[in-house]
């Protein structure tokens, strides 16, 4: 990981050891390489192979309206405050292939906020960002997304947000009219905008404590006065260096608010 950082400036050195080991071993198997040394040698010589390895190291897996109670809590406890702002900035950190971005865009549209919102969707994986821009998802997955949407308090027919063809669903491109997809690393980059809501879910679980604190520091610095932070269902700020700098808004849904 040190060699990858020096060669490509992608920093995986503070990802958790067990998770990282599983990913590297899976990459070895998928890329038909015998040893980690062989993988390192080729990755450092072949940038295209590093791009392949990045797919395994970042695990671009997500789903729309994942953890429906989280989105329901956003709708009932965060949206009323967002309504008080003339314009809204949202940062989806570690957006992977975009499922969370489209979920938030749909929620904001239903609440009459999307037109005055700007969503920054960031990730370190260029291939994932490109998939997110395209907004095309397997039709088989959309059936599960529909159930999540309904449980999350969706107000319309979910099928109204996409066009189905063959085995895929293309989501309404207008949902992303105010979305900026960008390369950003929580390990090496800095804050780039003042935001009202940061949603970073199921990313911190792959970081060690030091990197978790760095990411939470970025979120705290990015948020406006009394801004909101949403984490994944297995993530918490309770034992972090920033535990005292956020108020808990909805503990079960992992929603926090920047302290006064």
């Amino acid at each position: 990981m040190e060699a990858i950082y020096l060669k490509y400036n992608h920093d995986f050195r503070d990802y958790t050891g067990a998770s990282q080991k599983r990913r590297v071993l899976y990459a070895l198997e998928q890329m038909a390489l015998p040893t980690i040394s062989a993988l390192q040698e080729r990755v450092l010589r072949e940038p295209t192979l590093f791009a392949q390895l990045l797919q395994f190291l970042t695990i671009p897996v997500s789903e729309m309206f994942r953890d429906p109670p989280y989105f329901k809590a956003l709708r009932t406890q965060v949206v009323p405050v967002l309504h008080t702002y003339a314009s809204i900035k949202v940062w989806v950190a570690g957006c992977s292939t975009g499922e969370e971005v489209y979920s938030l865009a749909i929620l904001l549209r239903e609440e009459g906020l999307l037109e005055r919102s700007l969503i920054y969707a960031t990730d370190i994986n260029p291939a994932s960002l490109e998939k997110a821009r395209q907004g095309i998802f397997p039709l088989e997955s959309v059936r599960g997304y529909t159930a999540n949407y309904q449980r999350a308090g969706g107000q319309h027919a979910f099928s109204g947000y996409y066009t189905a063809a063959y085995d895929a669903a293309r989501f309404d491109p207008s949902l992303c009219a105010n979305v900026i997809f960008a390369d950003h690393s929580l390990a090496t980059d800095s804050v780039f905008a003042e935001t009202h809501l940061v949603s970073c879910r199921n990313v911190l679980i792959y970081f060690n404590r030091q990197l978790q604190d760095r990411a939470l520091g970025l979120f705290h610095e990015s948020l406006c006065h009394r801004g909101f932070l949403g984490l994944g269902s297995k993530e918490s700020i309770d034992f972090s260096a920033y535990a005292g700098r956020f108020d808990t808004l909805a503990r079960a849904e992992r929603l926090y608010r920047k302290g006064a």
Side-chain angles (χ1 to χ4, degrees):
M1 293 306 163
E2 186 72 30
I4 285 176
Y5 173 64
L6 293 173
K7 173 75 174 181
Y8 297 106
N9 200 35
H10 278 276
D11 194 353
F12 293 97
R13 295 175 297 175
D14 285 323
Y15 280 51
T16 57
S19 169
Q20 196 174 79
K21 183 178 179 181
R22 282 197 305 273
R23 296 181 192 192
V24 171
L25 292 177
Y26 183 66
L28 284 178
E29 179 182 340
Q30 297 300 309
M31 298 164 84
L33 291 169
T35 64
I36 292 176
S37 296
L39 174 65
Q40 174 177 309
E41 181 183 352
R42 287 197 56 191
V43 162
L44 295 181
R45 285 191 293 107
E46 303 174 36
T48 54
L49 199 70
F50 172 68
Q52 293 178 39
L53 178 62
L54 198 56
Q55 304 309 306
F56 299 112
L57 294 180
T58 55
I59 306 185
V61 176
S62 186
E63 61 184 63
M64 288 193 187
F65 291 96
R66 185 177 187 176
D67 303 323
Y70 170 80
F71 286 93
K72 184 171 281 188
L74 279 180
R75 197 185 288 269
T76 58
Q77 300 189 54
V78 176
V79 162
V81 179
L82 297 183
H83 269 290
T84 66
Y85 297 114
S87 62
I88 302 157
K89 290 182 180 177
V90 177
W91 178 14
V92 184
C95 72
S96 186
T97 45
E99 288 85 346
E100 179 121 342
V101 178
Y102 286 86
S103 303
L104 285 169
I106 288 170
L107 187 153
L108 291 170
R109 172 167 285 178
E110 292 185 352
E111 295 296 335
L113 294 173
L114 185 59
E115 302 307 316
R116 54 186 164 112
S117 296
L118 180 60
I119 301 176
Y120 298 99
T122 64
D123 201 276
I124 62 170
N125 187 330
S128 293
L129 287 171
E130 181 54 34
K131 286 184 179 178
R133 286 190 190 93
Q134 293 174 359
I136 299 173
F137 301 95
L139 199 57
E140 182 179 1
S141 299
V142 171
R143 298 188 183 97
Y145 301 164
T146 302
N148 286 349
Y149 166 76
Q150 293 167 342
R151 290 180 55 210
Q155 298 175 350
H156 304 293
F158 192 60
S159 57
Y161 293 108
Y162 65 86
T163 302
Y166 302 103
D167 58 351
R170 183 171 191 263
F171 278 74
D172 182 353
S174 71
L175 290 169
C176 287
N178 296 337
V179 177
I180 296 174
F181 293 99
D183 181 8
H184 181 277
S185 170
L186 294 172
T188 57
D189 293 328
S190 57
V191 170
F192 54 89
E194 184 180 77
T195 56
H196 301 90
L197 165 65
V198 174
S199 191
C200 180
R201 305 177 65 229
N202 307 300
V203 175
L204 298 186
I205 53 175
Y206 299 112
F207 295 172
N208 67 16
R209 181 62 58 83
Q210 180 179 343
L211 185 52
Q212 288 179 0
D213 282 344
R214 186 185 196 280
L216 289 170
L218 291 179
F219 302 153
H220 187 271
E221 188 178 345
S222 168
L223 286 168
C224 67
H225 178 67
R226 301 294 283 154
F228 298 93
L229 170 65
L231 301 178
S233 61
K234 294 181 173 56
E235 298 165 334
S236 170
I237 64 169
D238 286 350
F239 302 103
S240 75
Y242 286 83
R245 304 178 74 173
F246 285 93
D247 300 328
T248 300
L249 183 66
R251 180 169 296 279
E253 291 77 16
R254 301 296 193 267
L255 270 175
Y256 304 91
R257 195 168 188 187
K258 187 174 180 177

